[in-house]
Structures are given as structure tokens and as C-alpha cells.
Amino acid sequence: MTRILFATSEVYPLVKTGGLADVSASLPEALCKLGYDCQILLPGYPAALEAARGAGSRRKTRFRYGQYDVALWQTRLPGTAVSLWLVDCPALFDRPGDSPYQNDDGDDWWDNAHRFHLFGRIGAMMALGQLGLSWQPDIVHCNDWQAGLIPVFLESAQHPPKSVFTIHNLAYQGLFSHETFRALSLPDFLWRMELLEFHGQLSFIKGGLVFSDAITTVSPGYAEEIQTPWFGYGLDGLLRHRSRHLHGILNGIDTRAWDPEQDRWLDFHYGPGHLKNKEQCKARLAQELKLEASGAPLFGFVGRLVEQKGLDWLLAVTVPLLERGCQFAILGSGQSHYQVRLQELARAWPGQLSLTLGYNEGLAHRITSGADLFLMPSRFEPCGLNQMYSLRYGTVPVVHGVGGLNDTVFDPSEVTADQANGFVFREPTPDALFQAVERALQTLGTRKTWRRLQENGMSADYSWKQRARDYATLYQNLLTGNGRIHDD
């Protein structure tokens, strides 16, 4: 049985700031169902340790690493049979608040480099069988910059396991000063532009990009985009250099949690071929959010209120659509100027625009089921999960044609009627978004065509089953190849 150590800084339901947590929960479980022994490595945040103790965790080892006392606990990821290892280092990970990276004021923890340097060291030691454990992986699968140093530490070992590094969002790179590089006591030879140095800074993500045996990202479209200057954040040259080892594998979704036929957050259920109760979901959502029961088109948005998500474009089209009687259900939090502007609109248009700041899992499900259309005008979107949730729920998405959105949403003007499932705009402007919305509203008035879009979206397979097979193929190719597949 192939053994995989899945190193991540987030996993649902223990800690979550975005899609990384969902992937880190669903993919290991899907791999285990395929017969792999996939075990997760996670920093020992307080909430994770508390849940582990409640589930009967066992401390497997304790030791001192440099100035830090470290213990390694083993438990199960809640609700699954997947083994979970927690790196318990109170000096680095016992922090208040919900965010694993920031304090309550929204500022990054000053020692994030030290925290994830240690996480990387422990991950590498575990991978190399240096902690006295009975389990050792054949492959280490590292996720985002927080695990980016693991392949670096594996490189100098005599017979290291193979390594895979997944980019979930290239915009977050783990950049720190040269002084921090020195403070971490990293070898001097790593301070080179072709290794960890990036414009005078230490780049954790370059560790994964340079030293891993294979690189993946979360959609085929994003794999192409990050090799261009527009989406590469200065790393496009390196990614083009390693393009032979770069693979775009689309994320899946948890089709048990996101299933309109048995969603625990919904009062009414429906599915492909029986959509009648979707109207009941819309009526119940309108009642919950105090929206007028006018039958007007209802737009949903769930996500971070930040520029990446196209909030400025969204705001540019909101008032014209409100003036036409449309309604909005918006859930999320983010940059203060976007929050303030949306609060002003909610006050100015009561009964038409509902804003809920923060995150509410149940409300996210109810917006996804109750809205007619789901808006995702992202400037860039590595994969996106919300458009797949909305497709599965018969809520037609309107998206910007980038990354994973372009791989999952297909416009009726570009594909055949049996393939179309949403509306796509190509130009990165609010006018292009508005035109796509106009086309969507016109189609909404044509019941038969609209129902076809809904059924196409609901009938597709968004599960992890096939995606996990794609990763399994990649793993097997690595294990059967001749040596480490570096291009240098």
C-alpha cells in the first residue's frame, strides 16, 4: 500500500480560512478510499489539539528541536477514518483567535517564518523516518508556502521519499526578510535567485517550486495562467522552466456536504429532474434575510470581500441591477472599504440587498440553494469551489473566464446546448460583467432554456473520485520513474 504524508496548514473542520482546508479534508479521504494510506500532518493549533484530545488522540513522541519543545500526536480527522498527525509546539502554535496566520487585529504573526520553518523540519524528519515512528511515507504531498520548505530539507537526504507540491494560490508566497533567512539558520547556498532568494527576500513557496519532484495546481486553466507574467507573480519564468513537471488537476467538492437532495442546512430538498422545491428554498431565504417576496431575480455571492474576487466590478453593477428590481444575498468579509460600501447599499435598499458580514456555513448553503444566479467575477481564481457548489444546486453561475472558473462554467454562446451551464465574461471590466448578467437575465425569462442550464450543471460529476484518481496516477508515475525528476 502506497503511503502518503499530506502536509497542510489547514484542514476542515479543525481550521479553515479558505479552499485549502476543504481540499485537505476531502482529497486524503478520497485517496484512502482508493486504497492509499494517506495521513495528514497539521500544526497543533489549540482547536485542533482540543478536538484531538476529545477524540482520544495518542502522543507518539516528544523531543526538543533547537529551543522548542515538540510533541507529535496521532488521531483521526473528525468524521473520517483518515489518520491525522499534529505538531504540538506551544511556543509557536498555541495562539488565540481563529486564524492560523494572524492575530485578532488582522496582522500576521511576527514569527510566521519560524512557525512554518519548524513545521517543515518536522515534516521532513517524519518523512525520513527520523522520529522513531513505525510509519514512513513513500510520498510527501506539500501544500502552499507553509509546507514549502519540506522538499528543501528532503533534498540533501540519501534516499528521500518523492515530493509533490501543490499551489493553491500563487498570490500567497511566504516572503520574509534576509534577516529572517539568517535567523532560521538556513544554509548559505540556498540564498540564490535560482533557489530560495526572490528579489532580496526569502521565499518559502520557491522551496516547493524548485525542489519538489512534481508540482500541481488546482485547475488546468490556472496551470497555464501562472506561466504568464499576468498571473505568475514574478515566478512565471521558474514555472515555465519546470513546466514539464507542472500538472493542473481540478479540485473536487464534498458531494456529501453539498447535496441539495439531503443538505442538512435546508428545509426543502430537490435534485436533478425534480427542481420544484428550489422555489421553496428561495422563498425561505428571502424570509430569513428579510428580502421582499417579489419574485425578482435573486443574485447570490459568498466569498471574501477583496479585490481578487472582483468586488469593485460587482459594486459597479449592483445599483443598476437594484434599480431594475433585482435582489442580492451577500455573505462574506474582507477589506473594510468594500464592507462599508455594501453596508451603505444594504441601508439604502432594504428588502432588496442583504449583507451578512463574516462566515456562516448554513447561510452559505441556503444562499447557494435559494439564489437564481451566483456571481463570481474574480480577477483570478485558481480553482474556485463556489461555482461548483452553485452548479450542483441548480443556481446558474455568472463568472469571469479565468482559472478553474473557465474549466467548469460553459457559456451557451460558446458551447452546445447540452454542455452550457452558466455565463462567462472574458474582458476584465465591469461592463463585460454587466453584459453577461444581462444575457443571464434574458435567459432566466425563457423557462425551458433556463431549466436546461440548471439540469446540465446539476448532472455533472464534481466529486473527488476522479480527481483523486488523477493524483494517484501522478503518484504512481513518480514512484515508478527513474530517480528524482528534477530538470536541473
Side-chain angles (χ1 to χ4, degrees):
M1 180 182 291
T2 302
R3 299 176 298 274
I4 301 157
L5 180 63
F6 195 91
T8 180
S9 61
E10 301 179 26
V11 61
Y12 181 81
L14 299 177
V15 55
K16 176 178 177 176
T17 68
L20 170 61
D22 295 319
V23 174
S24 298
S26 299
L27 177 54
E29 185 178 15
L31 288 166
C32 287
K33 289 179 178 177
L34 289 179
Y36 287 78
D37 182 6
C38 185
Q39 305 194 13
I40 301 170
L41 183 70
L42 180 75
Y45 309 116
L49 287 169
E50 182 180 352
R53 293 186 184 108
S57 61
R58 294 172 292 171
R59 186 174 64 197
K60 288 296 189 176
T61 185
R62 61 188 303 182
F63 53 94
R64 190 163 181 84
Y65 184 84
Q67 68 190 80
Y68 301 112
D69 291 318
V70 181
L72 204 58
W73 295 81
Q74 186 183 32
T75 184
R76 298 282 182 183
L77 183 66
T80 76
V82 179
S83 288
L84 172 69
W85 297 86
L86 296 171
V87 179
D88 182 13
C89 180
L92 295 179
F93 297 121
D94 188 2
R95 305 288 167 86
D98 295 328
S99 171
Y101 321 118
Q102 298 175 327
N103 60 27
D104 288 338
D105 295 324
D107 300 319
D108 289 350
W109 290 111
W110 71 271
D111 58 350
N112 273 347
H114 296 268
R115 301 169 76 217
F116 293 105
H117 170 266
L118 178 118
F119 180 64
R121 285 286 188 189
I122 302 308
M125 292 168 70
M126 186 173 176
L128 294 170
Q130 296 173 347
L131 297 179
L133 305 174
S134 59
W135 187 87
Q136 186 177 353
D138 304 298
I139 292 173
V140 183
H141 189 148
C142 309
N143 294 271
D144 270 354
W145 72 262
Q146 295 88 348
L149 292 186
I150 295 178
V152 180
F153 301 143
L154 294 178
E155 178 70 13
S156 58
Q158 210 165 22
H159 299 290
K162 300 295 184 182
S163 59
V164 176
F165 182 77
T166 296
I167 307 164
H168 294 265
N169 191 335
L170 194 62
Y172 302 102
Q173 300 184 1
L175 298 177
F176 302 96
S177 68
H178 183 251
E179 290 75 18
T180 300
F181 175 85
R182 292 291 185 195
L184 296 176
S185 299
L186 292 167
D188 288 341
F189 79 89
L190 291 173
W191 190 260
R192 290 156 49 189
M193 64 173 292
E194 64 269 27
L195 299 180
L196 299 189
E197 187 270 338
F198 183 74
H199 299 287
Q201 293 182 288
L202 162 65
S203 171
F204 272 50
I205 203 169
K206 282 187 73 177
L209 300 182
V210 172
F211 289 96
S212 61
D213 293 307
I215 304 167
T216 73
T217 192
V218 292
S219 71
Y222 194 57
E224 294 296 324
E225 289 172 353
I226 59 177
Q227 297 180 64
T228 69
W230 297 274
F231 294 94
Y233 288 91
L235 295 169
D236 50 289
L238 171 58
L239 289 162
R240 287 194 299 273
H241 175 64
R242 296 223 61 204
S243 61
R244 194 160 59 93
H245 305 295
L246 173 61
H247 311 268
I249 301 176
L250 192 69
N251 280 341
I253 62 173
D254 185 340
T255 52
R256 293 170 303 176
W258 291 89
D259 180 0
E261 295 188 281
Q262 52 186 12
D263 190 325
R264 69 188 181 96
W265 299 106
L266 305 184
D267 292 328
F268 304 96
H269 297 98
Y270 60 94
H274 56 104
L275 277 158
K276 184 178 179 181
N277 276 351
K278 192 175 191 318
E279 284 300 314
Q280 297 283 71
C281 291
K282 180 179 179 179
R284 183 59 58 88
L285 178 67
Q287 182 182 38
E288 177 182 357
L289 299 181
K290 297 180 172 55
L291 297 172
E292 296 170 0
S294 63
L298 174 57
F299 292 90
F301 176 92
V302 178
R304 290 180 292 120
L305 307 179
V306 295
E307 186 180 27
Q308 182 220 321
K309 298 297 183 181
L311 259 292
D312 51 338
W313 300 343
L314 177 60
L315 286 168
V317 305
T318 299
V319 171
L321 291 170
L322 288 167
E323 289 173 342
R324 290 174 52 171
C326 295
Q327 298 180 337
F328 289 81
I330 298 174
L331 169 65
S333 62
Q335 293 170 291
S336 60
H337 60 286
Y338 291 132
Q339 294 188 171
V340 168
R341 178 58 181 143
L342 286 167
Q343 287 172 320
E344 292 171 350
L345 288 171
R347 288 192 294 269
W349 298 86
Q352 279 186 250
L353 190 148
S354 167
L355 170 66
T356 304
L357 294 177
Y359 186 73
N360 180 309
E361 183 73 20
L363 181 56
H365 285 244
R366 291 190 291 277
I367 290 175
T368 303
S369 66
D372 296 300
L373 301 108
F374 198 92
L375 295 174
M376 288 188 71
S378 305
R379 276 182 163 76
F380 67 94
E381 194 64 65
C383 176
L385 299 177
N386 284 317
Q387 85 278 12
M388 288 189 273
Y389 298 152
S390 70
L391 287 166
R392 184 158 166 77
Y393 279 61
T395 300
V396 176
V398 180
V399 307
H400 186 203
V402 291
L405 300 177
N406 201 43
D407 292 323
T408 51
V409 181
F410 308 108
D411 194 289
S413 68
E414 299 174 349
V415 297
T416 62
D418 61 344
Q419 296 172 312
N421 59 12
F423 295 87
V424 182
F425 66 98
R426 301 292 174 187
E427 294 296 320
T429 65
D431 284 343
L433 167 61
F434 190 77
Q435 290 169 18
V437 169
E438 284 271 24
R439 290 192 294 115
L441 290 174
Q442 290 171 8
T443 308
L444 179 60
T446 310
R447 180 177 174 83
K448 184 177 179 181
T449 305
W450 189 258
R451 181 59 60 89
R452 182 74 174 271
L453 292 175
Q454 290 178 303
E455 294 285 354
N456 287 346
M458 298 181 79
S459 62
D461 180 7
Y462 305 105
S463 72
W464 272 105
K465 191 173 182 179
Q466 180 55 49
R467 276 62 156 175
R469 288 197 186 102
D470 292 337
Y471 277 105
T473 299
L474 175 63
Y475 296 152
Q476 293 309 312
N477 288 342
L478 284 176
L479 293 174
T480 57
N482 295 318
R484 296 171 68 79
I485 40 180
H486 285 310
D487 3 40
D488 44 350

